[in-house]
Amino acid sequence: KRIKRREMMVSSRLLRKSEKSSPSLVLRNSTPWFFAAICFLWASFLTVAMLSNEQSLESNREQMRREVEERVMNELVKREKRKEEKIPSLASEYHRREEEDDDDEDKRRTRRIRGPLAGAYRRHGLDEDQVGVQERKVQGPKFRGPFGRLESLIHEKAREKRETYEMKKKLQMEHEEKERTRQELDAHLEDTDGKEKPRDTLDVEEKIQEALDGAIEREKSHDEDEDEDEKRRRLIETGSGESEVPTTIETETPETFPKSVYGQAHLLRDVPGFPKTPPLVLSTVKPKAYLFRNFLTEDECDHLMKLAKAELAPSTVVGSGGTSVPSTIRTSAGMFLRKAADKTLEDIEYRIAAASGTPEPNGEGMQILRYDIGQKYDPHFDYFHDAVNPSPKRGGQRMATMLIYLENTEEGGETIFPRGTRADTFDLPEEGNPHEWSDCTKTGLPVKSVKGDALLFWSLTEDYKLDMGSLHGACPVIKGQKWTAVKWIRVAKFDGMFTEPLPMPALSRRTEQHGKCVDEWDECTEWAKDGWCEKNKEFMISKGGARDSKGPACPVSCDVPCN
């Protein structure tokens, strides 16, 4: 027993010694610090690896960007070389015109800005029309980001390509216009009596002038022959050399009542316009034209300008293919209003239909135009010369035009009929008659841009032919602005989708009534009651009052014969 106890004591003592010297105990006491050291080393390794990878990716991205830029630049250079090889003259012509426009703009600003502060205005880019407001140059969009430089280069090349294309289209359009004018000139000159056709010896404008002069002289002689035949027919019907019924009222016009068109219009400045008052006869033939004073109120004019201001864009003309194309002969800004867009516009459209004696659906959508200083519209016809626009599907040819002035133009901006003839009383020195016209109106029949006034003229004759006297243009604006509303009227419903050729509608109610003497306007009875038979004889009881200029406007109400 004593031996066993001793052995147990020795074994327990050895066991305690072995536990004190065991490494697992040391490891257990030092575990937190050991794992912290390992985690720190691992995190450091991962951070270094990620930074190295990011630098590598950035380097690769930069290298790819440089390669892409180099490839794009090479491709653009190749395209530019090919383009210059194809149209070298076009590019040089475009740059030449651009430089001339810049020089003209600099000269214009230098010429217009005067006074002690002129130098300061020019240094800051200020214009006379915008004193105190700096003109900001139109800049392209700013591209940012890693591909900003590349995108800006692509945008710049695309802009140059677009400008070159537009310049090419403009030159092509001008060439087509000259070619079409030459063809029309040749067609007019075919009727000349043994005269040699001038080819390539005169300028295009001089050829048009010569052709139109010849056509007007032939039509004038034709009208004189018709007048002689009418006199003979009337003599045979009456059986004597004198007419038993006077052609006009024998009442003398008061001395204070003006005789010129604008002198008479001056008396109407404070009275309501059509349909309360009748129009004034501006021209009886070549062209047939009326002047309406106060056709629109000031509120209606301001309403139309307000509708248009947000959508104005450079004006276009009808090209040879029937499409709208830009042109150097028309430099205004304009837009089209949807028909019956609101109640005010709808009322104006029906008023235009009543004044022209045509159904309202025959009118196209109204166009609003704005002319700034220097802008104009060279003489032209509203008559279509292509085969697309005057087709029965579109409603046939344009027969009449209503031009409404929405703003008072301080100087210039007149509507001019170069082939029109002024009446003997047109320039009489009367109150309200303009004593100064711009140089653009030295020849022909001018119309002043007065707010609310309207001009109605016909482009077609009764036999569905072009009225050569309807050639008209817009003189350059010298001071202020010019705003107009244009309404073109077709021979039938606009875009009526007709399939058969459309005849010319009757201009006179006498034609519809088989020669019966009737009033040509629905408002004649009221006008006669207000005394307009005496105050506006040229329209009410004279031969040029009717829309066909073959009788008075209101013969029944004014108690005068139709012939």
Side-chain angles (χ1 to χ4, degrees):
K1 293 180 180 179
R2 284 195 300 269
I3 292 171
K4 288 183 179 180
R5 253 192 323 270
R6 189 177 297 133
E7 287 176 357
M8 292 178 62
M9 291 175 63
V10 171
S11 61
S12 62
R13 194 178 294 116
L14 291 175
L15 180 61
R16 284 194 297 271
K17 289 182 179 181
S18 63
E19 288 178 355
K20 291 181 179 181
S21 61
S22 176
S24 60
L25 181 62
V26 177
L27 182 62
R28 185 170 58 253
N29 296 333
S30 61
T31 296
W33 298 101
F34 178 77
F35 278 103
I38 292 177
C39 291
F40 175 77
L41 293 176
W42 179 249
S44 300
F45 172 76
L46 291 179
T47 302
V48 171
M50 291 176 64
L51 291 176
S52 177
N53 188 27
E54 184 68 22
Q55 292 178 356
S56 177
L57 290 176
E58 184 65 24
S59 176
N60 293 337
R61 188 181 296 109
E62 183 67 23
Q63 183 178 359
M64 290 176 60
R65 182 166 59 251
R66 286 196 297 267
E67 291 179 357
V68 171
E69 288 183 1
E70 185 178 359
R71 293 176 59 185
V72 172
M73 287 297 300
N74 294 335
E75 183 66 23
L76 291 176
V77 170
K78 292 180 181 179
R79 292 183 182 180
E80 189 68 22
K81 289 182 179 179
R82 290 197 298 266
K83 182 169 58 179
E84 291 178 356
E85 292 176 358
K86 291 182 180 179
I87 50 172
S89 60
L90 180 62
S92 60
E93 179 69 14
Y94 168 75
H95 292 299
R96 183 183 66 79
R97 292 195 178 189
E98 188 176 27
E99 292 175 358
E100 290 179 356
D101 293 340
D102 294 338
D103 293 340
D104 293 341
E105 180 67 17
D106 294 338
K107 292 179 181 178
R108 183 182 68 82
R109 290 187 179 179
T110 304
R111 182 176 64 254
R112 290 174 55 192
I113 300 178
R114 296 289 187 271
L117 299 179
Y121 289 159
R122 297 192 196 102
R123 283 195 301 272
H124 291 83
L126 298 180
D127 195 294
E128 184 185 21
D129 297 331
Q130 298 178 341
V131 175
V133 180
Q134 185 176 3
E135 291 184 349
R136 298 179 179 177
K137 295 183 179 180
V138 179
Q139 300 178 351
K142 296 182 178 179
F143 297 98
R144 298 178 179 178
F147 293 96
R149 181 184 175 188
L150 175 62
E151 293 176 351
S152 62
L153 290 174
I154 296 175
H155 174 76
E156 182 67 20
K157 292 297 181 180
R159 185 183 63 82
E160 293 178 359
K161 181 178 180 181
R162 183 171 60 256
E163 291 177 351
T164 305
Y165 174 76
E166 292 176 355
M167 189 64 194
K168 180 179 178 181
K169 293 293 291 184
K170 185 181 294 184
L171 294 176
Q172 181 180 1
M173 181 204 62
E174 292 179 356
H175 174 73
E176 292 176 354
E177 287 181 357
K178 291 182 179 180
E179 183 66 20
R180 186 174 69 252
T181 304
R182 185 187 65 79
Q183 294 176 359
E184 294 173 1
L185 173 67
D186 294 341
H188 284 302
L189 292 177
E190 289 179 357
D191 298 333
T192 55
D193 300 331
K195 295 182 180 180
E196 184 179 358
K197 298 181 181 180
R199 292 180 180 270
D200 300 328
T201 58
L202 297 175
D203 186 74
V204 175
E205 295 296 334
E206 295 176 349
K207 291 182 180 182
I208 296 176
Q209 182 91 3
E210 183 178 351
L212 293 178
D213 287 338
I216 289 174
E217 291 297 328
R218 291 195 301 274
E219 292 183 8
K220 183 181 296 183
S221 62
H222 179 67
D223 291 342
E224 291 176 355
D225 295 339
E226 288 184 348
D227 292 341
E228 293 295 329
D229 295 339
E230 183 66 20
K231 290 180 180 179
R232 296 192 191 97
R233 186 188 63 78
R234 189 161 58 248
L235 289 175
I236 294 174
E237 291 178 354
T238 57
S240 61
E242 297 181 357
S243 177
E244 298 179 358
V245 184
T247 58
T248 59
I249 295 178
E250 297 298 333
T251 306
E252 296 182 358
T253 303
E255 294 181 358
T256 58
F257 193 75
K259 297 180 180 180
S260 65
V261 173
Y262 276 97
Q264 297 175 19
H266 181 68
L267 297 181
L268 305 177
R269 64 188 184 278
D270 296 327
V271 300
F274 182 86
K276 295 295 183 181
T277 55
L280 301 170
V281 178
L282 184 66
S283 174
T284 56
V285 291
K286 300 181 181 64
K288 175 62 179 182
Y290 296 111
L291 178 65
F292 294 80
R293 175 53 54 97
N294 295 332
F295 187 79
L296 295 187
T297 64
E298 290 191 4
D299 291 340
E300 289 174 330
C301 293
D302 295 339
H303 179 72
L304 293 182
M305 289 190 290
K306 182 179 179 181
L307 292 178
K309 284 182 179 178
E311 302 180 18
L312 288 174
S315 301
T316 59
V317 297
V318 178
S320 58
T323 57
S324 297
V325 294
S327 174
T328 56
I329 68 174
R330 191 183 195 186
T331 57
S332 60
M335 56 83 64
F336 282 91
L337 295 175
R338 180 174 54 85
K339 295 187 66 174
D342 57 26
K343 186 63 169 60
T344 301
L345 180 58
E346 185 178 14
D347 292 342
I348 295 174
E349 290 173 337
Y350 275 96
R351 195 182 312 162
I352 293 173
S356 61
T358 57
E360 190 280 328
N362 289 24
E364 300 182 21
M366 185 176 293
Q367 185 182 33
I368 309 298
L369 297 171
R370 185 195 65 196
Y371 296 83
D372 292 323
I373 293 178
Q375 293 185 335
K376 45 83 178 179
Y377 194 177
D378 292 341
H380 61 282
F381 294 106
D382 288 345
Y383 178 96
F384 287 118
H385 297 278
D386 62 280
V388 178
N389 282 285
S391 63
K393 181 179 179 180
R394 300 302 308 275
Q397 190 61 261
R398 286 174 176 172
M399 62 177 293
T401 301
M402 177 68 86
L403 179 63
I404 308 173
Y405 302 98
L406 306 179
E407 189 62 275
N408 294 315
T409 304
E410 298 182 45
E411 187 177 355
E414 300 95 343
T415 299
I416 181 67
F417 292 92
R419 303 303 172 193
T421 303
R422 305 189 190 194
D424 297 336
T425 60
F426 188 84
D427 292 316
L428 289 179
E430 297 175 333
E431 184 180 3
N433 196 9
H435 302 292
E436 295 183 359
W437 300 87
S438 64
D439 295 338
C440 173
T441 64
K442 288 183 177 179
T443 59
L445 180 63
V447 183
K448 199 75 173 175
S449 175
V450 179
K451 188 172 185 177
D453 282 8
L455 168 65
L456 174 63
F457 65 93
W458 272 260
S459 299
L460 293 182
T461 59
E462 285 186 307
D463 53 356
Y464 208 101
K465 292 184 179 179
L466 171 64
D467 186 348
M468 304 301 293
S470 66
L471 181 74
H472 64 286
C475 294
V477 175
I478 300 175
K479 188 177 181 181
Q481 273 189 336
K482 176 183 177 182
W483 284 79
T484 59
V486 186
K487 187 77 167 181
W488 292 292
I489 302 170
R490 304 277 185 138
V491 299
K493 181 181 178 181
F494 178 56
D495 284 343
M497 305 302 292
F498 300 99
T499 57
E500 299 294 334
L502 301 172
M504 177 69 180
L507 298 181
S508 172
R509 293 182 178 180
R510 282 180 280 100
T511 305
E512 299 174 352
Q513 298 294 333
H514 304 288
K516 183 180 178 180
C517 188
V518 295
D519 286 339
E520 298 291 339
W521 301 67
D522 295 334
E523 299 80 10
C524 281
T525 302
E526 296 299 325
W527 292 340
K529 291 180 181 179
D530 294 337
W532 290 106
C533 296
E534 291 292 329
K535 294 184 291 185
N536 192 354
K537 289 185 176 181
E538 181 69 19
F539 173 77
M540 298 290 288
I541 62 177
S542 297
K543 183 179 179 180
R547 296 181 179 92
D548 61 352
S549 294
K550 293 183 179 180
C554 303
V556 176
S557 298
C558 294
D559 195 18
V560 296
C562 282
N563 296 325

